[in-house]
């Protein structure tokens, strides 16, 4: 790659005084996404990026290999209702997965819903669905162009016919059917003002009941709290159909509340847990005995039972006490508690009786991730998907009585997983913290300072980063690279204390952990700074942006995906206000100073040689507003003091990532790999990449 002439990006003399500090924001005009000047800037930046990437010799070979390896069957975890099994399925390269159903375990599947028929460019995606208790009806939500906004409809499973029901302005909500199938509970927002659907803040969610056959305007308001505009509501109807259980969330805080309504008695909503003193995840119930996974007095998690007749904390019963592993989730299936634990960021699965006695561990295929654990209280079986760095998602059926697991659906592979090795190492962080790092690479690869290495991280919002299969990462490893995945504070791998250690005034710990992993890889001889690329998405995009501005000499290439990059204005757009639980608030003087100290956009310095950087976003991203990426790219391009390229690739009719068509996913992966290949000069030195 050579020195570039970037599109002209005018600077405004805009300076604000915030908490006594003067803060420049010269590219604020790029926040107006639909302004002619912004659209022209987007077109010019995309043209430059495409021109440069088109010169990379490896790009087409990478695209071909990505397409070959992407062409495998992908199965979702079945949901069983009324003897019917419903699951997602993609036979290879379809832009969107279909929804299929079958009557029994061995019956032939039938297509229930094919989103690929709903748009010419594959940008209408199935984002959520719920089966009625008898399995006869399907409520499903669709989004367009990558938006978080969904429209919900209802379909008869047997006939495939849609009913007239049509719900709009649904976001961050599923559907919970009543036992009789007469309707379902869901949450939505008021219709936003014109022009604000992709930008305006999402507040004042309300819980409704929709009765089948009636227009949305007649939906019954079940619960709303205008005095608490940051609250949101996630409804569940218990397996016995008697109770409505509502999880009350406030932004991304780990603490939540719980409401309960007795549907049989048609009683009022009871505020069962509303102190927001801990997390309470509803597991299931036996009559009026309710089971919850909580971190109250148990940072790594425990299971408690609460009797609705005596809901006071002193009457709670501990069913599964806290252990040395993180208890991530628990399901009530077949009259048993199926518990999913994290041990050093990999999963183990165990089965307990309802009184807490241990029955057995479930044998898993190896070091990896269990996802989508599915089953109901009266089901004899549980389903789950298992994946690892070299194993695509395989769906298992598990007999909860015997613990025996068999493969329900597995893809045919076009590569040999035994040709790769995964190991876990532990790095010492800046303050002595033990930081796990997974390393995955070809067994026959001779490792050394010239080995290209891609280090990935996230570190936020109590989200655990566990082993998972990625075609993009496999191609990287196939061509001789190391894929490294760092487990950082701020995530959910080691419970509450680990999460909180990477939040608010302690957010710098996350960046220090990631930098420590990079330094260890270099010091241990796995790679060198010139051959080290880093990447992350969303909160991980913030991670990469902060690290490249703090330690630009440490990396050869950086991939910043849909990142949160302006830490002084993130709370003004869409759902950004909800992230103050992790980031802190720019309106608080102390937290403002912490945010300003690492905000990527505000810490770009002229005269610095920054690593080659590719920033990616979608023009319809209504999760992380695209202006974050626009402003950061403009600042980096203006400040760059050497010939390493600073590029931005802006996907049109795309959002934060969910529901993105397969064709776009492959194009984006090829662009990233081609960019890193050129930036690390892998072709010049004969590295097969």
């Amino acid at each position: 790659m050579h020195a570039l002439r970037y599109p002209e990006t005018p600077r405004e003399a805009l300076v604000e005084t915030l908490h006594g500090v003067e803060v420049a924001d010269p590219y604020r005009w790029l926040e107006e996404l639909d302004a002619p000047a912004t659209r022209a800037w987007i077109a010019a930046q995309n043209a430059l990026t495409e021109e440069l990437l088109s010169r990379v010799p490896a790009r087409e070979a990478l695209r071909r290999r990505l397409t070959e390896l992407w062409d495998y069957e992908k199965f979702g975890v079945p949901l069983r209702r009324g003897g019917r099994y419903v699951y997602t399925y993609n036979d290879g390269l379809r832009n969107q997965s279909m929804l299929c159903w079958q009557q029994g375990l061995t019956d032939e599947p039938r297509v229930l819903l094919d989103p690929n028929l709903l748009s010419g460019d594959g940008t209408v995606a199935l984002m959520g669905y719920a089966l009625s208790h008898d399995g006869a009806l399907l409520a499903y939500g669709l989004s367009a162009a990558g938006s978080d906004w969904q429209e919900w409809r209802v379909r008869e499973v047997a006939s495939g016919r849609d009913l007239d029901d049509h719900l709009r302005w649904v976001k961050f909500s599923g559907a919970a059917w009543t036992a009789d199938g007469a309707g379902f509970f869901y949450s939505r927002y008021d219709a936003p003002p014109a022009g604000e659907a992709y930008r305006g803040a999402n507040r004042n969610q309300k819980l409704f009941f929709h009765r089948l056959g009636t227009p949305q305007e007649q939906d019954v308001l079940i619960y709303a709290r205008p005095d608490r505009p940051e609250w949101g509501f996630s409804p569940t109807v218990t397996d016995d159909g008697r109770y409505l259980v509502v999880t009350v969330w406030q932004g991304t805080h780990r603490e939540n509340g719980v409401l309960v309504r007795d549907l049989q008695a048609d009683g009022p909503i009871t505020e069962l847990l509303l102190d927001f003193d801990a997390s309470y995840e509803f597991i299931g119930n036996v009559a009026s005995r309710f089971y919850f996974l909580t971190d109250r007095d148990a940072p790594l998690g425990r299971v408690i039972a609460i009797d609705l007749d005596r809901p006071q904390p002193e009457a709670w019963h501990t069913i599964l006490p806290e252990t040395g592993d993180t208890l991530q989730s628990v399901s009530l299936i077949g009259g048993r508690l199926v518990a999913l634990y994290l041990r050093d960021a990999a999963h183990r699965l165990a089965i307990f009786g309802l009184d807490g006695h241990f029955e057995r561990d479930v044998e898993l295929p190896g070091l990896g991730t269990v996802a989508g654990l599915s089953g109901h209280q009266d089901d004899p079986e549980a389903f789950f998907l298992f994946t690892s760095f070299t194993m695509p998602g395989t769906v298992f059926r598990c007999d909860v009585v015997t613990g025996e697991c068999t493969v329900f659906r597995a893809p045919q592979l076009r590569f040999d997983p035994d040709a790769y090795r995964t190991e876990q190492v532990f790095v010492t962080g800046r303050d002595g913290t033990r930081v796990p790092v997974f390393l995955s690479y070809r067994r026959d690869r001779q490792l050394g300072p010239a080995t290209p290495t891609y280090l990935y991280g996230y570190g936020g919002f109590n989200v655990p980063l566990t082993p998972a299969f990625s075609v993009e990462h496999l191609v990287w490893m196939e061509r001789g690279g190391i894929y490294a995945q760092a487990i950082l504070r701020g995530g959910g791998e080691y419970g509450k204390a680990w999460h909180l250690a990477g939040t608010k005034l302690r957010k710098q710990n996350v960046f220090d952990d990631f930098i420590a992993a990079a330094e260890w890889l270099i010091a241990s001889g796995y790679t060198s700074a010139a051959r080290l690329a880093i990447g992350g998405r969303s909160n991980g995009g913030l991670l990469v942006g902060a690290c490249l501005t703090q330690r630009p000499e440490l990396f050869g290439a950086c991939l910043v995906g849909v990142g949160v990059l302006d830490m002084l204005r993130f709370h003004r757009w869409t759902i950004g206000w909800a992230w103050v639980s992790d980031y802190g608030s720019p309106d608080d003087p102390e937290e403002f100073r912490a945010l300003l100290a690492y905000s990527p956009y505000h810490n770009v310095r002229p005269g610095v040689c920054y690593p080659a950087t590719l920033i990616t976003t979608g023009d319809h991203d209504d999760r992380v507003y695209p202006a974050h990426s626009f402003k950061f790219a403009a600042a980096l391009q203006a400040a760059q003091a050497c010939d390493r390229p600073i590029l931005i690739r802006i996907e049109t009719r795309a959002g934060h990532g969910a529901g993105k068509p397969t064709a776009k996913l492959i194009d984006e992966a090829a662009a990233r790999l081609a960019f890193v290949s050129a930036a690390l000069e892998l072709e010049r030195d004969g590295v097969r990449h």
Side-chain angles (χ1 to χ4, degrees):
M1 293 184 180
H2 307 288
L4 299 175
R5 184 172 182 177
Y6 297 107
E8 183 179 354
T9 308
R11 290 175 58 91
E12 295 180 329
L14 195 160
V15 178
E16 291 180 319
T17 301
L18 304 173
H19 305 293
V21 179
E22 289 191 346
V23 180
D25 191 358
Y27 302 110
R28 186 173 293 182
W29 62 271
L30 286 169
E31 294 177 5
E32 299 300 327
L33 301 187
D34 295 322
T38 304
R39 302 313 296 183
W41 183 88
I42 290 172
Q45 292 286 353
N46 275 341
L48 173 65
T49 299
E50 179 57 32
E51 178 190 359
L52 189 66
L53 292 178
S54 68
R55 302 178 196 165
V56 180
R59 186 183 185 186
E60 286 310 310
L62 287 165
R63 191 199 307 274
R64 285 195 300 271
R65 187 55 177 156
L66 284 164
T67 303
E68 290 170 357
L69 289 174
W70 220 292
D71 191 9
Y72 69 91
E73 291 182 304
K74 303 162 191 71
F75 302 94
V77 177
L79 175 65
R80 180 178 183 267
R81 283 293 197 183
R84 290 187 168 116
Y85 297 86
V86 173
Y87 54 92
T88 59
Y89 172 67
N90 193 316
D91 55 4
L93 295 174
R94 289 179 190 264
N95 278 320
Q96 302 291 340
S97 292
M98 302 178 291
L99 194 63
C100 297
W101 74 280
Q102 57 190 72
Q103 189 62 47
L105 283 172
T106 59
D107 288 2
E108 284 295 313
R110 289 181 267 181
V111 175
L112 176 56
L113 176 67
D114 185 356
N116 298 284
L117 304 178
L118 302 179
S119 67
D121 59 1
T123 57
V124 171
L126 175 67
M127 300 302 291
Y129 61 90
L131 275 175
S132 61
H133 284 226
D134 61 2
L137 295 170
L138 176 84
Y140 65 95
L142 301 174
S143 80
S147 173
D148 280 336
W149 289 114
Q150 300 173 22
E151 297 189 21
W152 280 71
R153 299 181 183 274
V154 178
R155 177 165 294 196
E156 292 177 340
V157 174
S159 69
R161 181 179 69 90
D162 273 348
L163 305 182
D164 292 334
D165 304 80
H166 181 199
L167 310 180
R168 301 186 68 206
W169 305 118
V170 181
K171 185 185 275 195
F172 313 129
S173 176
W177 287 91
T178 55
D180 60 4
F184 53 83
F185 300 93
Y186 74 103
S187 296
R188 66 173 169 88
Y189 295 95
D190 292 337
E196 289 294 305
Y198 290 101
R199 174 173 178 159
N202 304 133
R203 289 187 172 92
N204 287 302
Q205 195 184 58
K206 300 172 184 176
L207 178 67
F208 287 89
F209 176 72
H210 173 73
R211 183 168 295 279
L212 290 188
T214 62
Q216 187 175 22
E217 293 74 21
Q218 295 180 15
D219 288 353
V220 178
L221 178 64
I222 301 299
Y223 194 81
R225 288 295 297 268
D227 60 323
R228 297 289 188 180
E230 73 277 13
W231 285 10
F233 310 102
S234 298
T236 300
V237 173
T238 56
D239 283 353
D240 60 12
R242 176 164 180 176
Y243 297 98
L244 168 68
V245 181
V246 182
T247 298
V248 184
W249 51 269
Q250 47 178 357
T252 52
H253 287 270
R254 59 183 298 131
E255 298 82 11
N256 66 278
V258 178
L259 313 172
V260 176
R261 181 180 182 182
D262 188 337
L263 298 176
Q264 182 175 301
D266 196 22
I269 279 197
T270 300
E271 296 177 346
L272 179 66
L273 299 164
L274 217 55
D275 290 334
F276 292 93
D277 59 341
S279 65
Y280 298 94
E281 179 184 320
F282 177 65
I283 298 169
N285 70 301
V286 177
S288 63
R289 187 176 175 88
F290 279 48
Y291 295 86
F292 292 92
L293 167 60
T294 183
D295 61 8
R296 175 165 168 162
D297 302 322
L300 296 177
R302 64 179 173 131
V303 173
I304 60 172
I306 300 177
D307 196 300
L308 295 187
D309 296 327
R310 295 185 62 212
Q312 300 80 9
E314 58 269 20
W316 297 356
H317 300 279
T318 295
I319 305 300
L320 296 183
E322 183 182 31
T323 70
D325 293 335
T326 302
L327 184 53
Q328 185 180 345
S329 69
V330 182
S331 301
L332 204 169
I333 303 174
R336 290 165 172 79
L337 296 173
V338 184
L340 185 62
Y341 289 92
L342 272 171
R343 178 177 294 170
D344 290 331
H347 279 137
R348 71 179 184 88
L349 198 58
I351 299 176
F352 299 85
L354 288 180
D355 60 358
H357 75 272
F358 172 77
E359 292 190 356
R360 61 184 50 82
D361 285 315
V362 175
E363 185 177 353
L364 299 176
L367 193 71
T369 298
V370 171
L373 189 64
S374 170
H376 297 285
Q377 186 174 337
D378 56 353
D379 288 343
E381 60 199 1
F383 291 90
F384 63 87
L385 181 143
F386 183 86
T387 182
S388 71
F389 294 122
T390 56
M391 181 178 180
T394 298
V395 180
F396 288 87
R397 175 185 178 271
C398 181
D399 186 311
V400 295
V401 177
T402 66
E404 180 184 359
C405 292
T406 55
V407 173
F408 175 70
R409 293 285 186 271
Q412 298 297 310
L413 306 183
R414 300 185 181 210
F415 68 97
D416 179 11
D418 293 332
Y420 298 86
R421 177 187 179 191
T422 296
E423 59 179 309
Q424 189 177 45
V425 299
F426 294 90
V427 174
T428 301
R430 180 178 180 179
D431 60 359
T433 298
R434 179 175 175 263
V435 178
V437 180
F438 290 104
L439 303 175
S440 198
Y441 50 89
R442 262 190 6 230
R443 289 185 182 274
D444 63 353
R445 183 69 162 96
Q446 296 298 312
L447 305 180
T451 309
T453 299
Y454 177 47
L455 175 63
Y456 185 86
Y458 186 77
F461 297 99
N462 196 38
V463 174
L465 192 62
T466 55
F469 181 75
S470 160
V471 172
E472 182 178 349
H473 298 160
L474 179 66
V475 170
W476 174 259
M477 293 187 290
E478 186 180 66
R479 291 175 164 249
I482 298 173
Y483 173 70
Q485 184 164 292
I487 309 305
L488 312 173
R489 281 176 284 185
E493 298 85 2
Y494 290 105
K496 185 174 185 177
W498 182 262
H499 169 222
L500 294 180
T503 62
K504 295 187 175 181
L505 301 181
R506 299 169 294 275
K507 186 66 177 177
Q508 183 61 40
N509 287 336
V510 183
F511 315 138
D512 289 344
D513 289 352
F514 198 59
I515 289 168
E519 291 176 331
W520 184 92
L521 287 166
I522 295 168
S524 301
Y526 281 88
T527 190
S528 60
R531 287 291 167 89
L532 178 60
I534 59 172
R537 297 187 74 261
S538 197
N539 175 74
L542 162 62
L543 169 72
V544 175
C547 290
L548 80 86
T549 51
Q550 292 181 17
R551 293 291 304 276
E553 82 289 349
L554 193 57
F555 317 110
C558 300
L559 300 174
V560 183
V562 291
V564 185
L565 301 161
D566 181 344
M567 302 310 297
L568 303 187
R569 289 175 65 78
F570 72 88
H571 61 318
R572 296 174 178 269
W573 301 310
T574 63
I575 197 64
W577 61 267
W579 308 334
V580 298
S581 60
D582 252 52
Y583 297 149
S585 172
D587 298 328
D588 177 278
E590 187 178 15
E591 292 174 347
F592 159 80
R593 284 173 171 79
L595 290 162
L596 181 61
Y598 70 76
S599 177
Y601 173 55
H602 297 94
N603 282 278
V604 175
R605 306 294 179 218
V608 175
C609 179
Y610 287 104
T613 300
L614 176 63
I615 301 162
T616 54
T617 188
D619 69 344
H620 280 72
D621 190 342
D622 52 7
R623 183 86 56 85
V624 177
Y625 197 54
H628 283 279
S629 296
F630 297 175
K631 293 164 68 174
F632 186 56
L636 272 180
Q637 288 178 350
Q640 181 64 303
C642 59
D643 62 0
R644 295 177 178 177
I646 307 295
L647 302 179
I648 182 168
R649 188 175 188 271
I650 303 147
E651 192 77 62
T652 57
R653 286 190 56 77
H656 198 59
K660 186 174 289 188
T662 296
K664 288 192 175 187
L665 291 172
I666 292 174
D667 281 346
E668 193 173 86
R672 285 191 294 263
L673 289 174
F675 179 84
V676 171
S677 176
L680 302 188
E681 299 184 328
L682 302 185
E683 296 290 329
R684 188 193 69 179
D685 290 354
V687 177
R688 182 176 175 266
H689 204 282

